[in-house]
């Protein structure tokens, strides 16, 4: 239902990025890149969770060597995260990176940037031009709000021209901030200005419990407007959590199909006559072992119960001391409270 | 920074709703309305958490009596949630409701609707015309996606005309669905069509852990477009959680000021040389006892560390076995890893 913003296609190994392709969820390895076995393990966990691209930091020459070894041990295209050093970029590309993330702002000279571009071109890999508000030059605490977004866009504009002049267009763009409004505004601005795929993320969002809401708000607002071709959720913690959250944000907007049950539960109010939340938790626990896209509704009264049941595959609508069971919107039975969970389970199993 | 959609003002007792006023967070009591003491306790917890309006169900005549008693025991304007019965609506209004939520679709006759409107007018209270996808007539599982939104808008249009014809305009509108995309689309449609304040919510969103992301995505997308004058987060569980989530969604978009610290943490990667997540958790635990709007950043390396520090009130940037401390963007000291937490604490305390 969401109309994606039309973009060019960027190619990172076997993965294509852009409006012609599904949105790719990516994450970043949190182990040192010199720890080859540790990185491979984390990459495998990330791909099993649904990551289509995985990024690694390569701050030292030893990391570059680790990176090249890891590339040969995994099936997913890898991205090298480059800062400060053209050498690291070239080592990573020669070591098999499918894409590099580059913040040209911290590469010393224009010649170094050209060396990186030429190497990427020769190896047919993608470059993400990744600008981060926290690494924008000329930005201080006194820089006014509006100015910050403008500075990021201006910097991006200069880099894109530079890359294009050098004959390179296998490009993905990102402008990140830890501020939700600036993330939305600056991404809207680059989405209007350029037709390259966009990598979305709210950076430095914090511990998982703090990051969840701001990341969902920022990415939700942008994705709903068709902006975003690959996403990375930034949380301080297990990167598999980043992929899980990313999947749920995309799924909420029907941009990703979770092969998992969905549990609709009414919030309950003074009309509800039994412990519906406890019942819903019991259902949720049971559904954790079911891996099919079934929509289950647990409703507390007749106000919206039958209506949500009509929209669910299987539903329960509570009454005083019993519950009604619905299948595909049709009332198919009734059970006493004590027998309702078993009856619901039976219907879900046979669905 | 967000430009609110221009609306009329609705008045619910001491609370004003509309674009001239801050967005009001509301929630609903989950105890039976006959349990006066239980309801008062929950209402006080909700207002202490930040709710500006609280709603209660009044399904029976005894609930109406409870409602009238509760009104006299609390300071926050109360909303009565009305379904099926004009009598309950009139009892609630006469009992002191500041606003009622009405789904005219389940009130038997037009005359009954007029009786409710006339009573609300006489008592100068507001009415939310609350349409719910699950209670739309003529809607079945076969109703195509687009048609569902259209049916909701068509129904809303009929009701608004009916209320206006009867000379009543102290109106708030809501169109709710448990589906994120339909919630966004139908609210955008009524925002374009009418200039009454809008009550936003994703209904039946489920248990807190399931509701968080879809509610943030749906409300984030709408609020960022300036749509929404009062919000209610629907979770199956403690309603105080609904208010907390609502505050965080609004705060992410700078529509609410949380008088709490904000903790920025980099997600860490192969560049980070110590357990930053553990350190951040320690900081988070300490900040839970601090009630002032201070921005603290905990960063893992020099790539974005100094930049985020420039945007924070107090920051730590990790190096190999030590950390640098920043205050308002200026590096003010260095401490060994083991002494860093104490040093950071000192700076936060004195801020």
């Amino acid at each position: 239902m969401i109309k994606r913003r039309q973009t060019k296609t960027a190619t990172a190994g076997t993965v294509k990025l852009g409006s012609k392709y599904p949105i790719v969820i990516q994450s970043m390895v949190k182990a040192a890149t010199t720890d080859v076995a540790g990185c491979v393990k984390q990459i495998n966990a990330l791909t099993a969770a649904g990551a289509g691209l995985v990024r690694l930091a390569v701050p030292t020459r030893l990391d570059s060597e680790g990176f090249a070894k890891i590339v040969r041990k995994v099936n997913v295209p890898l991205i090298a995260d480059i800062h400060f050093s053209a050498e690291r970029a070239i080592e990573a590309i020669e070591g098999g990176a499918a894409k590099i993330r580059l913040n040209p702002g911290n590469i010393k000279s224009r010649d170094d940037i050209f060396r990186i571009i030429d190497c990427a071109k020769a190896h047919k890999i993608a470059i993400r031009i990744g600008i981060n508000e926290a690494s924008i030059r000329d930005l201080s605490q006194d820089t006014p709000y509006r100015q910050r977004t403008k500075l990021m866009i201006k910097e991006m504009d200069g880099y894109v021209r530079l890359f294009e002049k050098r004959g390179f267009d296998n490009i993905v763009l990102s402008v990140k901030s830890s501020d939700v409004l600036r993330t939305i505004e600056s991404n809207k601005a680059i989405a209007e200005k350029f037709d390259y795929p966009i990598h979305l993320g709210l950076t430095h969002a914090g511990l998982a419990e703090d990051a969840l809401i701001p990341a969902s708000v920022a990415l939700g607002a942008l994705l709903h407007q068709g902006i975003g071709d690959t996403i990375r959720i930034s949380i301080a913690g297990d990167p598999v959590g980043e992929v899980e959250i990313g999947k749920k944000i995309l799924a909420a907007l029907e941009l990703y199909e979770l092969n998992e049950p969905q549990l609709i539960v009414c919030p309950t109010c003074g009309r509800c006559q039994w412990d519906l939340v406890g019942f819903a938790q019991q259902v949720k626990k049971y559904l954790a072992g079911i891996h099919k896209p079934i929509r289950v509704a647990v409703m507390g009264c007749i106000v919206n119960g039958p209506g949500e049941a009509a929209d669910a595959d299987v539903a329960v609508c509570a009454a005083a001391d019993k519950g009604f069971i619905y299948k595909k919107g049709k009332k198919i039975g009734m059970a006493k409270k004590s027998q309702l969970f078993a009856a619901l389970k039976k219907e879900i199993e046979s669905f």
Side-chain angles (χ1 to χ4, degrees), chain A:
Chain A
M1 285 297 302
I2 287 177
K3 214 179 137 204
R4 302 260 304 274
R5 153 189 168 263
Q6 295 300 295
T7 72
K8 290 184 177 140
T9 298
T11 304
T14 52
V15 170
K16 302 271 187 186
L17 298 169
S19 54
K20 288 199 194 73
Y21 301 89
I23 295 170
V24 176
I25 298 169
Q26 56 176 277
S27 181
M28 195 159 176
V29 167
K30 300 189 177 186
T33 311
T34 47
D35 171 13
V36 174
C39 287
V40 169
K41 199 178 155 195
Q42 209 168 86
I43 292 166
N44 289 338
L46 287 169
T47 51
L53 287 168
V54 178
R55 181 157 47 116
L56 295 104
V58 286
T60 70
R61 158 111 207 132
L62 282 175
D63 290 300
S64 298
E65 286 171 15
F67 185 84
K69 286 180 198 150
I70 296 163
V71 165
R72 291 193 294 272
K73 288 180 194 286
V74 299
N75 287 318
V76 67
L78 297 184
I79 307 166
D81 198 60
I82 304 298
H83 292 279
F84 311 116
S85 164
E87 273 55 53
R88 292 298 95 75
I90 288 163
E91 287 159 12
I93 297 169
E94 292 177 343
K99 179 181 170 192
I100 61 167
R101 176 268 168 106
L102 189 73
N103 183 345
N106 62 30
I107 299 295
K108 222 185 303 169
S109 70
R110 181 164 292 206
D111 276 351
D112 274 353
I113 296 176
F114 285 156
R115 279 169 58 213
I116 298 171
I117 294 175
D118 294 348
C119 183
K121 205 173 166 186
H123 287 79
K124 297 196 166 93
I125 71 140
I127 298 180
R128 164 158 68 101
I129 305 177
I131 288 183
N132 196 307
E133 184 179 340
S135 56
I136 286 282
R137 290 170 295 197
D138 315 321
L139 198 136
S140 80
Q141 266 198 330
D142 305 323
T143 311
Y145 192 99
R146 271 282 164 215
Q147 201 57 27
R148 288 164 177 255
T149 304
K150 270 192 196 155
L151 276 172
M152 281 203 276
I153 307 313
K154 196 181 148 199
E155 191 157 317
M156 181 60 88
D157 193 51
Y159 297 144
V160 170
R161 281 168 201 270
L162 195 70
F163 277 62
E164 286 176 342
K165 225 188 230 167
R166 197 72 182 179
F168 190 86
D169 68 352
N170 194 11
I171 295 172
V172 176
L173 308 179
S174 73
V175 281
K176 292 198 187 177
S177 166
S178 57
D179 178 281
V180 170
L181 282 181
R182 286 202 293 275
T183 297
I184 299 174
E185 290 314 313
S186 51
N187 277 287
K188 279 179 69 176
I190 63 163
E192 261 173 47
K193 208 173 168 74
F194 309 104
D195 61 355
Y196 293 107
I198 289 178
H199 166 121
L200 287 188
L202 181 76
T203 199
H204 312 146
L207 297 165
E209 68 268 28
D210 295 330
L212 216 53
I213 291 176
S216 300
V217 167
L219 271 62
L222 287 163
L223 290 164
H224 182 258
Q225 291 176 50
I227 298 168
D229 305 289
T230 176
I231 66 169
R232 190 262 172 124
I233 307 301
S234 156
I235 61 169
D238 184 357
V240 168
E242 300 187 350
V243 178
E244 298 293 349
I245 296 169
K247 282 160 67 178
K248 286 178 189 167
I249 292 174
L250 292 178
L253 293 164
E254 294 172 30
L255 292 165
Y256 188 92
E257 202 168 332
L258 285 173
N259 201 31
E260 301 294 337
Q262 188 185 4
L263 181 59
I264 299 299
V265 190
C266 92
T268 81
C269 69
R271 280 187 297 266
C272 183
Q273 294 174 60
W274 45 278
D275 175 25
L276 198 80
V277 174
F279 185 81
Q281 279 161 342
Q282 198 183 358
V283 174
K284 165 109 179 157
K285 212 169 153 186
Y286 164 66
L287 290 176
I290 307 282
H291 302 290
K292 53 185 177 187
I294 182 171
R295 189 173 161 107
V296 179
V298 172
M299 301 294 292
C301 79
I302 55 157
V303 169
N304 291 311
E308 281 296 348
D311 216 28
D313 295 312
V314 180
V316 157
C317 182
D321 55 350
K322 58 182 184 289
F324 296 98
I325 297 187
Y326 293 75
K327 201 165 184 172
K328 279 277 170 203
K330 283 191 181 59
K331 201 192 280 183
I332 57 160
M334 191 191 83
K336 271 192 232 163
K337 221 165 105 175
S338 60
Q339 284 148 25
L340 198 59
F341 180 67
L344 177 69
K345 220 168 107 173
K346 202 183 125 215
E347 292 309 326
I348 293 171
E349 264 161 22
S350 72
F351 191 79

